[in-house]
Structure formats: C-alpha cells, structure tokens
Amino acid sequence: MAAPPQLRTLLFAVNAFLRKRRYHAALAMLKGFRNGVVYGAKIRAPHALVMTFLFRSGSLREKLRAILQATYTHSWNLARFVFLYKGLCALQSHVQGKTYQAHSFVSAFIGGLLVFGNNNNINSQISMYLLSRVLFALCRLGVEKGFIPEPRSDPFPWFTALVWGVILWLFEYHRPTLQPSLQSSMTYLYEDSNVWHDLSDFLIYNKSQPSK
C-alpha cells in the first residue's frame, strides 16, 4: 500500500535536509552517535553473554542484568566518544580553516579522557584492546618511515612466544596484576584442568555436579 501524501512529503523534506552540506558535520555527529550505540551493542552483548554464563555465579536474573549493564555501558560510552570526537574535529577544522593531523589526536585525547577516563572493567578492556593495536601499528609505521629496520624474517613467531611466556608467568606468580576476566579464563584452562573426581568432571563437566 502506498504511503499517504503527507508522509511522502515529510520523507522528501527530511531527505532533502539530510543532503544539505551545510549541516553535514552536525549530522555526521548524530550518525556517529547512532553507529556507536549499534556497534557497542553488537560487540559487547555476545561477549558479555558468554563470559557471564561461563564464569559468573548468581541467578538468571542477576546474570541477565549484568549482561544488559555491560552492553549499555559499552554502547553509551562508545556513542558519546564518537559524537564528541567528530564534533571536536569539526570545530578545530572550522576554527583553523583546514584539517590537520593533530586534530585527530587532540579530539580523541579529550574524548578518551572525558568518556573512558573512569577506570572500570569495560573501559579497561576497550583500552587494552586498543593498546595492542596501537603497538602493532606504531611498529609498522616505524618500519614504513625508516625509523625501525625492516626485519629480515617474520618476527611474529618470536613475538607471540614472548607474549605467551610472559602471560603465563604473570598468571602463575603475579596473578593479581592481570585483569579479572583474564584471570577467570586462565583459571578455567590451567587450574581447573588439574582437578577431577570421576569421568563426569573429567570429560563432561568442568566441575562435579552437586548431588541432589
């Protein structure tokens, strides 16, 4: 069924407004906010679902509340950061008459401080995820710019061996320094596998089921 004339007129006016270059920066901030909400939910919800039901104790209601809270926090923070970052970039470009590379750093620095500055589990996970990407990218940039000699062979095997060696040493002897979620994962892999009583908790379950 065709849309009513009033609705078609409204949609035409909205689409015409969205195409105006005059409002592009402000509209980009709004769409960035929208994309932050969607992407944050798509990334966090499955992760929170798996980690909560694997490692968290409590009732089903408590687990669902924890999943929703983690998803909300991730989405809300990411949406605010994108909105703020794009707004600050646009403001600097407008004030200075053109775009400079420093605008990205300054905008993200301010946004990161204001949005992700609170030290909680969600912000910590996001920052550590980004840190690994930053270190990889800076090494590649250093090679590209000639600041770091290009390796004669692939350094990845040595890199990954060092990472695994250090992380297991930290887990075994300095566990409190690791993030709680990583501690839970590694406990499941390396400690729970040391304990069993019969076939049920050796092969079927991780831990023996309470007798009824």
Side-chain angles (χ1 to χ4, degrees):
M1 190 172 77
Q6 297 89 342
L7 180 58
R8 292 201 302 269
T9 301
L10 177 61
L11 289 175
F12 179 82
V14 170
N15 289 331
F17 174 77
L18 292 176
R19 295 189 187 102
K20 290 182 179 293
R21 298 297 303 177
R22 179 181 178 182
Y23 306 112
H24 183 269
L27 293 172
M29 292 168 61
L30 292 176
K31 184 168 184 182
F33 184 91
R34 176 263 181 201
N35 285 3
V37 170
V38 173
Y39 187 79
K42 290 171 66 174
I43 292 297
R44 178 56 57 175
H47 177 270
L49 177 69
V50 172
M51 297 302 290
T52 298
F53 278 93
L54 273 179
F55 301 117
R56 191 184 182 105
S57 59
S59 66
L60 177 61
R61 184 173 184 177
E62 291 171 337
K63 291 179 178 180
L64 292 176
R65 184 183 296 114
I67 294 169
L68 291 175
Q69 181 61 48
T71 303
Y72 169 80
T73 301
H74 194 142
S75 297
W76 175 237
N77 285 358
L78 191 58
R80 288 188 298 152
F81 176 82
V82 176
F83 183 87
L84 186 58
Y85 169 77
K86 295 179 75 68
L88 290 173
C89 282
L91 177 62
Q92 291 177 94
S93 297
H94 176 73
V95 170
Q96 296 188 276
K98 60 182 298 188
T99 299
Y100 295 95
Q101 290 190 25
H103 292 172
S104 292
F105 177 83
V106 171
S107 300
F109 182 91
I110 295 173
L113 185 63
L114 295 178
V115 176
F116 293 107
N118 183 27
N119 188 5
N120 56 48
N121 290 338
I122 302 299
N123 291 346
S124 179
Q125 289 172 5
I126 294 173
S127 296
M128 285 190 290
Y129 173 89
L130 292 176
L131 176 61
S132 63
R133 271 64 180 173
V134 166
L135 294 177
F136 260 81
L138 288 177
C139 289
R140 289 168 177 157
L141 183 62
V143 172
E144 180 183 310
K145 298 296 185 181
F147 300 125
I148 301 175
E150 186 166 358
R152 296 181 180 179
S153 60
D154 185 6
F156 184 80
W158 297 102
F159 161 77
T160 194
L162 179 63
V163 168
W164 280 102
V166 171
I167 199 65
L168 264 299
W169 170 71
L170 288 171
F171 174 72
E172 297 287 3
Y173 299 104
H174 303 280
R175 189 173 306 183
T177 63
L178 298 176
Q179 190 189 30
S181 63
L182 181 57
Q183 291 184 44
S184 297
S185 300
M186 299 187 80
T187 298
Y188 181 87
L189 292 170
Y190 304 110
E191 281 198 349
D192 291 357
S193 56
N194 291 332
V195 180
W196 63 88
H197 301 89
D198 52 36
L199 184 62
S200 65
D201 60 352
F202 181 81
L203 188 61
I204 302 174
Y205 303 105
N206 177 46
K207 295 183 178 180
S208 57
Q209 301 297 298
S211 56
K212 297 181 181 179

